[in-house]
């Protein structure tokens, strides 16, 4: 009989300290864990999907707000990493809040994250269908066709997710590697093309473009402020690595590093991509009117073949991002269910002994996506997806408040990620940033419906929470494991 290594026993011990058995299989190395977070962020996908809005609301100069968002989100990631280095359990902020502030508080963290992830799967896959795959194969824009393709993509992702975490990791690693190469190669190619042809201008970087004379450009909720949403909508989900902490090797080190590293890498590569794209614009009004300005710039500067190559790479990146969101959501459902705090928890907590994956929880994510695709009309679906940009900002803000409240009780593990003396100034700065981010997201007049949807999701969660208090109070009053397992 082969004995497990000391590291493997230590990793399993983190799960046992939480009061659980090691049911999920630890197959994710350091790069695979990084790829999980980076794929969720998916900088190429985020810019591809939102660059048109920046050009139409703030003009090309709006890209510089990406730096502000990147610095702010890095501060948040540093705080999240502090938790991940101390409580490496599937469920991320749900687990952290449950064990440090109580099960009732933790449940609300879990509900907010579940709503965001469940909507996020649909948002990513529907964007894959309509913005990348259909243009790639020459299909005219059609909402019905896009929804059908979305359902097919969801089904394929579900099959892969239940088959093997290692398989998902392999697909995701390929997608991330391709995306990294795409951003770097395209940036270099665009610089060379502009230098050779003279089409494009460095002056684009300070141009307000089609909104040069727009009223209220600098006002609250105005065009310039709206450009911040590109960074806020893209540089999120870095905590997805924490949702798979029980499947990571040496999670005390690999997960925190993946969380911070993914945001830093995405911030730098995203800014490089944005600068080269903007310089390469040869006709700002025409490109601003395009449905996909990134593809249009590629076509103008590098030809139709390169545009199609871009769409292939973007489609793969979308697919990788979608499957990561699905797996993250399934792990959260599994984590809440094994604590008896999710609907149908006895079913949702089951892990297949052969694949070592939570099949019922994964199928639930697919089913919810299918319902949203089939039941919601176009306008309602769009508003729901828009509302999902607010949810992570709320969750991150609450996580930082939790950290400031409990940081003195957190255990310290030798060799694990630790900010040391910087933890307080970083946490306070991150909290201030989340207030700014929320202000930017909810202030525009167009955000009213999205805010109402978020409130509605909270009320829906409140109904189930009340049901638990009446019929399953013990689940929200007790916590698996010792009370001081992760404090010191």
């Amino acid at each position: 009989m082969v004995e497990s290594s000391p590291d493997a026993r230590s990793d399993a011990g983190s799960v046992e300290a939480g009061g659980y058995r090691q049911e999920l299989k630890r197959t994710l190395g350091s790069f695979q864990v990084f790829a999980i977070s980076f794929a969720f962020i998916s900088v190429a996908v985020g810019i591809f999907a939102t660059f048109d809005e920046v050009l139409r609301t703030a003009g090309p100069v709006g890209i510089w707000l990406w730096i502000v968002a990147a610095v702010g989100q890095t501060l948040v990631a540093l705080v999240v990493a502090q938790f991940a280095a101390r409580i490496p359990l599937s469920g991320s902020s749900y687990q952290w809040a449950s064990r440090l502030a109580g099960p009732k508080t933790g449940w609300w963290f879990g509900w907010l994250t579940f709503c965001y992830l469940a909507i996020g799967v649909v948002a990513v896959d529907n964007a894959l269908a309509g913005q990348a795959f259909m243009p790639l194969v020459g299909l005219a824009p059609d909402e019905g066709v896009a929804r059908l393709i979305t359902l097919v993509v969801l089904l394929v992702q579900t099959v892969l997710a239940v088959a093997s975490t290692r398989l998902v990791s392999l697909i995701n690693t390929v997608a991330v590697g391709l995306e990294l190469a795409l951003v770097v190669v395209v940036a270099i190619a665009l610089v060379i093309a502009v230098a050779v042809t003279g089409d494009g201008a460095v002056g684009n970087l300070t141009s307000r473009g089609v909104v040069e004379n727009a009223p209220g450009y600098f006002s609250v909720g105005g065009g310039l402020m709206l450009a911040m949403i590109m960074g806020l909508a893209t540089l999120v989900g870095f905590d997805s690595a924490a949702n798979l902490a029980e499947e990571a090797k040496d999670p005390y080190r690999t997960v925190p590093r993946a969380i911070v590293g993914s945001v830093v890498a995405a911030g730098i590569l995203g800014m490089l991509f944005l600068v080269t794209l903007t310089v390469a614009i040869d006709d700002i009004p025409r490109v601003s009117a395009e449905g996909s300005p990134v593809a249009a710039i590629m076509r103008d500067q590098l030809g139709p073949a390169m545009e199609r190559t871009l769409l292939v790479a973007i489609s793969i990146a979308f697919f990788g991002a979608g499957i990561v969101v699905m797996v993250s959501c399934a792990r959260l459902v599994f984590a809440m269910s094994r604590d008896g705090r999710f609907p149908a928890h006895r079913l949702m907590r089951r892990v297949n002994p052969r694949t070592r994956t939570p099949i019922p929880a994964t199928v639930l994510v697919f089913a919810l996506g299918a319902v949203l695709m089939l039941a919601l009309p176009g306008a309602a679906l769009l508003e729901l997806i828009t509302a999902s940009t607010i949810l992570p900002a709320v969750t991150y803000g609450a996580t930082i408040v939790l950290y400031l409240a409990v940081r003195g009780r957190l255990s310290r593990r030798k060799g694990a990620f630790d900010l040391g003396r910087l933890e307080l100034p970083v946490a306070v700065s991150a909290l201030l940033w989340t207030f700014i981010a929320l202000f930017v997201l909810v202030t525009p007049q167009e955000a009213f419906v999205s805010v109402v949807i978020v409130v509605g999701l909270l009320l829906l969660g409140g109904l189930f929470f009340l049901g638990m208090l009446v019929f399953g109070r013990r689940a929200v009053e007790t916590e698996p494991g010792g009370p001081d397992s992760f404090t010191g």
Side-chain angles (χ1 to χ4, degrees):
M1 179 178 178
V2 178
E3 293 187 3
S4 59
S5 68
D7 285 344
R9 291 195 297 271
S10 176
D11 293 346
S14 66
V15 178
E16 293 168 0
Y20 309 118
R21 289 187 299 112
Q22 179 70 54
E23 296 181 88
L24 304 174
K25 191 173 182 180
R26 290 196 184 273
T27 59
L28 305 177
S30 57
F31 183 78
Q32 286 82 10
V33 177
F34 165 81
I36 295 285
S37 284
F38 189 85
F40 196 123
I41 295 172
S42 196
V43 61
V45 166
I47 291 174
F48 185 86
T50 58
F51 192 50
D52 57 335
E53 286 299 318
V54 173
L55 294 179
R56 286 195 283 266
T57 59
V61 71
I63 66 167
W64 295 109
L65 289 175
W66 176 275
I67 297 176
V68 179
V71 172
Q73 295 300 84
T74 300
L75 291 171
V76 176
L78 287 167
V79 177
V80 171
Q82 290 282 96
F83 274 130
R86 290 164 172 78
I87 308 178
L89 297 172
S90 294
S92 59
S93 60
Y94 157 72
Q95 289 283 7
W96 307 333
S98 294
R99 294 174 184 280
L100 298 170
K104 295 184 180 69
T105 302
W107 187 89
W108 282 102
F109 275 76
W111 176 251
L112 282 171
T113 306
F114 168 72
C115 289
Y116 167 57
L117 293 174
I119 297 169
V121 177
V122 176
V124 172
D125 288 348
N126 193 237
L128 161 60
Q131 297 181 29
F133 183 77
M134 290 175 67
L136 173 63
V137 299
L139 292 174
D142 185 289
E143 184 181 332
V145 174
R147 289 185 181 228
L148 179 60
I149 294 172
T150 302
L151 287 172
V152 173
V153 173
L154 281 168
L155 180 59
V156 172
Q157 290 170 334
T158 302
V159 171
L160 293 171
V162 301
S164 167
T165 301
R166 183 185 291 275
L167 179 59
V168 170
S169 173
L170 177 62
I171 294 169
N172 190 51
T173 299
V174 171
V176 167
L178 185 62
E179 184 174 354
L180 289 168
L182 169 73
V183 171
V184 174
V185 170
V186 167
I188 294 172
L190 287 175
V191 169
I192 294 172
V194 171
V196 171
T197 66
D199 296 331
V202 175
N204 292 344
L205 296 172
T206 57
S207 170
R208 287 168 58 178
V210 295
V211 290
E212 180 67 39
N213 299 310
Y217 181 80
F218 294 101
S219 63
V220 173
L224 184 62
M225 195 176 87
L226 289 175
M228 181 87 76
I229 294 176
M230 177 169 64
L232 293 176
T234 302
L235 300 172
V236 294
F238 40 81
D239 51 322
S240 55
N243 257 333
L244 277 76
E246 292 177 32
E247 293 157 270
K249 300 173 183 176
D250 193 12
Y252 290 99
R253 295 179 179 84
T254 59
V255 173
R257 291 171 183 172
I259 289 170
V260 178
S262 61
V263 181
V264 172
I268 294 172
L269 287 171
M271 196 66 240
L272 171 68
F273 197 33
L274 285 169
V275 167
T276 52
L277 281 173
T278 303
V279 170
I281 299 174
D282 65 345
D283 185 337
I284 293 176
R286 179 180 60 80
V287 171
S288 299
E290 291 276 355
S292 176
V294 176
I297 294 167
M298 296 281 289
R299 182 174 62 249
D300 292 343
Q301 295 288 358
L302 304 173
M306 195 63 184
E307 178 192 9
R308 292 184 67 82
T309 301
L310 168 72
L311 289 173
V312 170
I314 289 292
S315 295
I316 294 172
F318 264 121
F319 187 86
I323 199 169
V324 165
V325 180
M326 174 177 282
V327 169
S328 296
C329 190
R331 296 313 184 269
L332 175 64
V333 171
F334 162 75
M336 295 181 72
S337 296
R338 67 181 173 183
D339 294 337
R341 300 171 192 160
F342 197 85
H345 60 86
R346 289 182 178 84
L347 174 63
M348 294 301 154
R349 67 174 295 168
R350 293 181 184 173
V351 174
N352 184 278
R354 186 176 64 83
T355 64
R356 303 282 293 274
T357 56
I359 293 180
T362 308
V363 173
L364 172 68
V365 180
F366 165 75
L368 289 173
V371 168
L372 292 177
M373 279 289 99
L374 296 172
L376 285 184
L381 179 63
L382 181 61
E383 291 292 354
L384 184 66
I385 290 172
T386 305
S388 70
T389 61
I390 299 174
L391 290 169
V394 173
T395 305
Y396 289 147
T399 300
I400 296 165
V401 170
L402 173 68
Y403 182 78
L404 287 169
V406 304
R407 67 186 185 89
R409 295 195 285 117
L410 287 172
S411 62
R412 307 280 169 171
R413 183 184 178 91
K414 186 178 180 180
F417 182 88
D418 194 338
L419 287 175
R421 295 179 180 178
L422 292 176
E423 64 174 346
L424 183 58
V426 166
V428 172
S429 300
L431 182 61
L432 292 174
W433 163 249
T434 57
F435 288 146
I436 294 171
L438 275 170
F439 182 78
V440 170
L441 291 168
V442 305
T443 299
Q445 189 174 2
E446 299 86 349
F448 176 75
V449 175
S450 298
V451 173
V452 171
I453 291 174
V454 171
V455 173
L457 291 172
L458 290 172
L459 291 175
L460 180 63
L463 291 176
F464 179 72
F465 186 73
L466 288 175
M468 281 197 303
L469 291 178
V470 174
F471 301 106
R473 178 177 288 273
R474 186 173 183 278
V476 290
E477 290 185 342
T478 58
E479 193 68 43
D484 301 317
S485 300
F486 299 100
T487 57

